[in-house]
Amino acid sequence: MPDLLGATNPVPGYDKTTVNRNITVSPDNTQIQNVPDPSKVVRADGRTEQQDSNLQGDGGIRYDSNFQTFLQRLRETPGLADSLARIFSGREGIVVSSGLSAGIAEEMGRLLEMLRMDESQLLDFLRGQFKTGTRFGGALFALLRSAYARAASEGVRTDILQFLKAYVDFDSTSHIEGNLLRDLQSMADAMPASWAEKLRDLTAQLQNGIAAGNRQGNLQLLQREIFPYMSSYVERTHDMGTPRALLTMLALNVARYENGSEEKLLEGFHQLSGYGTLKGQLGGIDDQSLLLLLKNRGGGGGGSRAIEFSNQLASAAARAFRGEGSAEVQQAFQNLLAAMLVNESVYMPINHYLLPLEWNGRMLFSELWVDPNAEDEQNRGGGKNTMRFLFKMDVQGLGLFDVILSAQGTDVDIQIACPDAAVPFSKQIGDAVSQILTRNDLKPARVAVRRMDRPVTLTEVFPKIFEGKNSINVKI
């Protein structure tokens, strides 16, 4: 019979209490796993969930870092040019009719019409993307950018960033209002009818308030009625699924909606105007002039060709996802949107532009990446600033071109990788590019044209993207 109480004398050498008492615990022993605590950054241990060997973004999905996940998506996501070529009829300029309803075929037909550009229209299209590619353009933001770089006090920098945050929320008002209505509608759909009826009534009141422009009344409705009602539902029903997730999103959007009010924006601007370094430059701008300046920052670019194309493309994608397109068309739009999200990510340190057009009867789907502050290894100690461009062009009847352009002052270095069909014309291509540079008062330091072995990747041309790995970024 086993001695459960341990009343007998232990066998020598097998006393477990003595053995355990003699074990030394080292705080640096990686075999001892840490207790998971999302609120702390702890030492390394033997856990395998972090997948630290996966440093280049390949392999399985990363769970420990948002930036590593971004690198994975960057490697895995196909290019926009390839997706656009699949959406339109094999680059022949005719919409693929197979599997498309009349509505989406008409949308894509209008898109094709917009791609037919001459030189002036192409310039307008490119300028439109430049204007809409950043919210921080113009003299005011150039002044704030310069003040941020020269500021000796951390308080000045913090207040500049707070003002910019309020401006982003102010400029995103219509988008945030749309998010609020969609979140409430989605939650009403996920709730039982007995709860959903009142929430739909509150949503209708909010929609009327948004249409009337009553921001303060909308905030009171959200904070005093809608949010407590949704919180009460989650608390009483213990529904930890979709409603609880939407409640979290609602809290974020309400905070942004409040932070983007005109009062918050002007309060941040007055705070900046109080600093001696900015008082002389910002003190002459009154409140109404500031609001008018920020509302019209695009200089009338809202009707530009770039805006029209992006809106038309979004409309066609929406129709396809609603079931008006075949599975192949939906997959092409999914790839297109995924690539756009990756290329416009907050982790992307370079500018990205899209240039689809029909030029001289040929379809041309092109992407452009620009790094205005690229650095070569030999120039890290100083010297002129280096700008680097990457063009990816898919030309109908020829294939894919990769063009890498580096400019330092007036010296320009160009490397062109061309498909097999263009290789016999390498010398003519090089001479033509050199003449174009010379006509624009630039010096062609080197123009190299070669056959493309494989498409170049973004990380090869812009290694700066990997600099984000130097920071701590835990994904929870």
Side-chain angles (χ1 to χ4, degrees):
M1 178 178 179
D3 184 7
L4 300 178
L5 298 179
T8 58
N9 293 329
V11 179
Y14 289 91
D15 187 353
K16 293 183 179 180
T17 58
T18 304
V19 174
N20 292 337
R21 192 179 302 119
N22 294 331
I23 295 177
T24 58
V25 178
S26 172
D28 298 324
N29 185 2
T30 58
Q31 297 302 317
I32 301 176
Q33 296 183 352
N34 302 315
V35 177
D37 187 353
S39 65
K40 297 180 180 179
V41 178
V42 294
R43 63 167 174 77
D45 59 12
R47 293 185 180 275
T48 59
E49 302 98 313
Q50 294 183 353
Q51 305 173 8
D52 290 328
S53 61
N54 182 11
L55 294 178
Q56 298 301 320
D58 51 357
I61 296 177
R62 296 294 301 249
Y63 295 103
D64 61 315
S65 170
N66 286 310
F67 184 74
Q68 291 294 144
T69 304
F70 161 74
L71 291 180
Q72 284 182 258
R73 296 291 183 263
L74 187 62
R75 291 172 59 95
E76 298 168 359
T77 304
L80 290 173
D82 179 65
S83 298
L84 282 172
R86 288 176 57 196
I87 290 174
F88 301 116
S89 67
R91 311 174 184 87
E92 293 299 331
I94 304 173
V95 178
V96 177
S97 59
S98 175
L100 297 182
S101 67
I104 188 174
E106 184 179 352
E107 292 277 2
M108 294 173 66
R110 284 197 291 265
L111 275 172
L112 282 171
E113 289 296 328
M114 296 188 65
L115 298 185
R116 297 186 175 93
M117 306 181 194
D118 55 22
E119 293 183 9
S120 61
Q121 292 172 328
L122 175 60
L123 183 60
D124 176 65
F125 186 88
L126 188 58
R127 284 176 174 171
Q129 291 208 47
F130 289 159
K131 289 180 180 179
T132 58
T134 176
R135 298 182 178 185
F136 307 111
L140 174 62
F141 294 106
L143 174 63
L144 294 179
R145 191 178 292 110
S146 175
Y148 185 88
R150 294 183 287 102
S153 169
E154 191 64 29
V156 178
R157 294 188 175 186
T158 301
D159 287 339
I160 291 176
L161 294 179
Q162 289 293 337
F163 171 74
L164 295 179
K165 183 179 179 181
Y167 164 68
V168 169
D169 293 336
F170 169 78
D171 192 53
S172 304
T173 294
S174 59
H175 177 71
I176 295 173
E177 290 173 343
N179 286 343
L180 291 170
L181 295 175
R182 281 189 292 271
D183 289 344
L184 293 174
Q185 183 62 47
S186 299
M187 187 166 188
D189 294 339
M191 294 167 63
S194 57
W195 286 85
E197 183 178 356
K198 181 178 179 180
L199 183 58
R200 294 187 196 278
D201 292 338
L202 294 173
T203 304
Q205 295 180 34
L206 178 63
Q207 191 170 7
N208 293 334
I210 290 175
N214 184 11
R215 193 189 198 104
Q216 193 59 37
N218 297 337
L219 281 171
Q220 293 181 2
L221 178 65
L222 285 163
Q223 295 169 345
R224 298 179 183 179
E225 297 188 50
I226 295 179
F227 201 87
Y229 182 75
M230 293 175 64
S231 301
S232 175
Y233 166 77
V234 173
E235 180 182 5
R236 294 176 61 180
T237 62
H238 302 285
D239 190 340
M240 299 300 173
T242 301
R244 184 171 181 267
L246 292 173
L247 182 61
T248 304
M249 292 301 300
L250 182 72
L252 172 62
N253 286 314
V254 169
R256 292 191 62 193
Y257 194 48
E258 183 177 14
N259 187 61
S261 64
E262 293 184 0
E263 293 77 12
K264 288 284 186 179
L265 184 68
L266 295 175
E267 179 183 339
F269 182 76
H270 295 157
Q271 181 71 18
L272 293 179
S273 303
Y275 289 106
T277 55
L278 292 170
K279 187 174 182 178
Q281 297 167 305
L282 300 180
I285 304 178
D286 59 86
D287 294 351
Q288 294 303 318
S289 299
L290 174 67
L291 294 176
L292 184 63
L293 173 66
L294 295 179
K295 289 177 181 178
N296 300 326
R297 77 192 189 287
S304 69
R305 209 174 169 89
I307 296 294
E308 294 175 11
F309 178 81
S310 60
N311 292 339
Q312 201 72 46
L313 185 63
S315 177
R319 282 183 173 272
F321 292 142
R322 285 198 297 263
E324 297 186 26
S326 64
E328 181 181 357
V329 174
Q330 290 184 15
Q331 182 63 46
F333 272 112
Q334 288 177 2
N335 293 338
L336 181 70
L337 295 179
M340 293 181 71
L341 289 174
V342 170
N343 291 332
E344 305 302 328
S345 168
V346 293
Y347 296 109
M348 184 69 80
I350 54 181
N351 299 320
H352 172 256
Y353 306 100
L354 179 64
L355 295 174
L357 68 150
E358 182 179 337
W359 189 265
N360 294 330
R362 288 182 182 269
M363 296 297 295
L364 173 64
F365 300 103
S366 176
E367 291 181 87
L368 169 63
W369 287 270
V370 182
D371 185 358
N373 298 303
E375 292 181 346
D376 293 328
E377 291 294 334
Q378 62 268 27
N379 294 326
R380 290 188 181 273
K384 297 180 180 179
N385 181 55
T386 301
M387 298 182 64
R388 183 166 293 120
F389 301 78
L390 170 62
F391 298 88
K392 280 186 172 290
M393 296 180 290
D394 190 359
V395 184
Q396 176 190 2
L398 293 178
L400 181 66
F401 288 77
D402 280 342
V403 181
I404 304 173
L405 186 150
S406 299
Q408 191 175 49
T410 58
D411 296 335
V412 179
D413 180 285
I414 296 183
Q415 304 173 50
I416 303 175
C418 58
D420 294 336
V423 171
F425 308 97
S426 297
K427 187 176 186 308
Q428 293 92 318
I429 294 174
D431 293 342
V433 170
S434 298
Q435 293 173 10
I436 292 173
L437 294 175
T438 303
R439 286 200 306 266
N440 291 274
D441 299 325
L442 298 173
K443 184 191 303 181
R446 182 181 64 151
V447 178
V449 183
R450 61 174 178 83
R451 183 178 67 85
M452 178 185 292
D453 298 323
R454 62 175 179 81
V456 69
T457 62
L458 274 178
T459 52
E460 291 173 341
V461 182
F462 304 104
K464 179 188 291 188
I465 293 176
F466 285 103
E467 292 182 2
K469 292 196 302 184
N470 296 332
S471 60
I472 298 175
N473 189 336
V474 178
K475 182 174 183 180
I476 298 177

